[in-house]
Every structure is written in C-alpha cells, then in structure tokens.
Amino acid sequence: MVNRADIGVIGGSGLYSLLEDAHEVDVTTPYGPPSDTISVGRIGGRSVAFIPRHGRGHTYPPHRIPYRANMWALRSLGVRQVLAPSAVGSLRPEIGPGALVIPDQLVDRTQSREQTYYDVGGAVHVSFADPYCPTGRAAATATAREAGWDTVDGGTLVVIEGPRFSTRAESRWYAGAGWSIIGMTGHPEAVLARELALCYTTLSLVTDHDAGVEAGEGVTHEEVLAFFAANVERMRTLVSQVVEALPEDRTCPCGNALDGIKLPIELP
C-alpha cells in the first residue's frame, strides 16, 4: 500500500465512499492528531487522501476541529491540492438552497482558532489577498456547470465561530456588507493551506437562507444535516469529477506562496 496522495479532500462522513481501493493511514503531526484516521485511495487515475473534517460521528464542533493537524497531515502525505466541500447558508435572496457557490473571497469572523503555523521563531507574513486557488476554482466551476448544478462563480464566504447560528441582526449585517454565504469551517483551513503552499478550493453547497434573509424561525442544525444528506450522493459525484479535472502540474501562484520567505520551521 502506498501512503501518498496528490489531492486531499476534507469533508463529511457521507463522502467516505469516494475512494477506490482505500486504506487507512495514521499520521502524527507536531500539532496533535488530525480529526480522524485518513483514508488514502484513488479516484480514477488520481491518488487521493480523505479526512473527515469533524471526525467520525461528528466528534468535533467547528471551533474545536484540529485544523492545523489536518492540513499538516495532508501535506505530509504528499498532498498539494485540496478540495473542501461544505454546507453553508445563503446571505442573498437570489442564491437559494441547492445552489453551489465557488467563492473567491473570505471574511474571518472567528475568535479562538489557532490559524497559523508561524507563531514562534520569527515573523512570517504570507499573502492572502486571494484566498482560493484560481485553477481549482476554474475546474470546480466548469465541472459543476457541465454536471447541471446551479453554480455561482465567485462570492464571499464569511466564516463565523459557531457552534451557534447567527442572530438575525448579525445575518443582516453580513448581508449588508455584500457577502454571499456563511459557514463555520472555511477558516482557518484556507489560510493554513496558503501557509503550506497548498492549492485550496471550497465547494459550498447552500442548504438554507440564513436567519436575516427571510422571515421564519431561522435555520436549525437538523435542517442543515437533512438537506446535505439528501444531496450527498450528488456532491460525492461532483467531488470525484472535480478531482479528475484538476491539473496534474500546478501552474497557479499557490505553490510559490512561500518563495523568498525564511521559514522558522521545516515543512513536511
């Protein structure tokens, strides 16, 4: 068995059956264990590592996920391109449940998450103006549209601390800022990927309108899980198709994110 992969997928338990000929790999990191054992297998001709973001059985709430360990573990297995499907709420009336958003911007509204590898040994400042891989975004958008998804190319994902959902006032505030979708797990995954010179692409499935967008009781945890579960087979197919659409050779800026920077730690 080869414990190496080119592409990483971070997602929920419903995506386990993505991989062919999968086997489990235990990975240790300087930041503790990842969310769970990583599965390594194939999708078509591509080698892929899959990690359940919240762990089996949804063990970790969004503010307690070991993000640094997860991203470090993927890179240590050879991963250089990461796909991150997730469930989000919509902040725009015109973006309804079932839409797929491929965001190009991110706003961090988290509070307590460790979001850098470079907190000791000297200052490291990594460019983050464009948080997502342009090549990954293009491949995901084209693949989703070809597959018949209602796809939104671009938009801003605001990441909140959780585990609670937003108040109506918060939701209206975010919408008033012009942001598109809201979730709890897209940060610090994206910035940690950049600090490891990885390509990172988010596939955001809209499960609901957020509390301030329309009248009603507001979103519930059960509704989000039920909607995602009803669409998990379709999402699983899409992730597989995007994996095969990603280029084998990286020509995007992501791989050069650390060029010219003296790092205080050695990367795997």
Side-chain angles (χ1 to χ4, degrees), residues 244-264:
E244 296 200 73
L246 291 174
E248 294 190 12
D249 297 319
R250 296 197 294 168
T251 58
C252 59
C254 309
N256 304 114
L258 303 175
D259 286 2
I261 300 176
K262 183 179 180 180
L263 301 180

Side-chain angles (χ1 to χ4, degrees), residues 172-185:
R172 290 169 184 148
W173 178 31
Y174 302 148
W179 304 334
S180 309
I181 50 177
I182 182 168
M184 298 181 188
T185 59

Side-chain angles (χ1 to χ4, degrees), residues 1-261:
M1 294 183 294
V2 178
N3 295 336
R4 299 285 295 177
D6 301 317
I7 298 169
V9 176
I10 307 173
S13 58
L15 298 175
Y16 269 105
S17 57
L18 268 173
L19 304 180
E20 307 162 9
D21 302 322
H23 63 279
E24 294 187 341
V25 180
D26 285 315
V27 182
T28 58
T29 84
Y31 308 96
S35 296
D36 212 319
T37 303
I38 298 176
S39 297
V40 176
R42 304 196 69 80
I43 294 177
R46 312 301 296 276
S47 57
V48 179
F50 173 78
I51 184 166
R53 181 186 280 117
H54 295 276
R56 288 176 173 86
H58 219 85
T59 306
Y60 293 98
H63 64 301
R64 296 296 187 192
I65 293 169
Y67 293 102
R68 293 199 295 180
N70 287 352
M71 302 307 292
W72 189 275
L74 288 177
R75 180 176 166 107
S76 70
L77 291 173
V79 166
R80 293 298 181 266
Q81 299 182 81
V82 177
L83 296 178
S86 65
V88 299
S90 171
L91 296 168
R92 318 300 304 176
E94 67 274 16
I95 303 176
L100 186 78
V101 182
I102 313 297
D104 61 347
Q105 280 297 315
L106 179 151
V107 171
D108 172 26
R109 292 290 301 164
T110 65
Q111 301 163 16
S112 64
R113 307 179 187 189
E114 294 178 319
Q115 56 178 292
T116 183
Y117 294 107
Y118 308 122
D119 48 3
V120 294
V124 173
H125 304 287
V126 179
S127 176
F128 200 54
D130 297 300
Y132 302 107
C133 175
T135 301
R137 287 192 64 258
T141 300
T143 302
R145 286 179 171 167
E146 186 175 342
W149 284 79
D150 175 13
T151 307
V152 180
D153 180 7
T156 298
L157 166 64
V158 54
V159 182
I160 60 174
E161 179 73 353
R164 69 170 178 86
F165 292 112
S166 301
T167 67
R168 294 190 195 279
E170 289 168 335
S171 181
R172 290 169 184 148
W173 178 31
Y174 302 148
W179 304 334
S180 309
I181 50 177
I182 182 168
M184 298 181 188
T185 59
H187 185 86
E189 277 182 3
V191 70
L192 293 173
R194 182 60 51 83
E195 287 195 344
L196 295 176
L198 305 179
C199 300
Y200 182 88
T201 304
T202 289
L203 312 175
S204 298
L205 174 64
V206 175
T207 61
D208 59 272
H209 280 108
D210 208 48
V213 178
E214 56 184 19
E217 295 300 317
V219 64
T220 68
H221 183 111
E222 292 75 15
E223 289 170 344
V224 170
L225 291 182
F227 190 93
F228 196 84
N231 287 272
V232 71
E233 180 63 36
R234 192 177 183 212
M235 176 61 81
R236 187 162 49 222
T237 299
L238 176 64
V239 171
S240 297
Q241 292 170 335
V242 176
V243 163
E244 296 200 73
L246 291 174
E248 294 190 12
D249 297 319
R250 296 197 294 168
T251 58
C252 59
C254 309
N256 304 114
L258 303 175
D259 286 2
I261 300 176

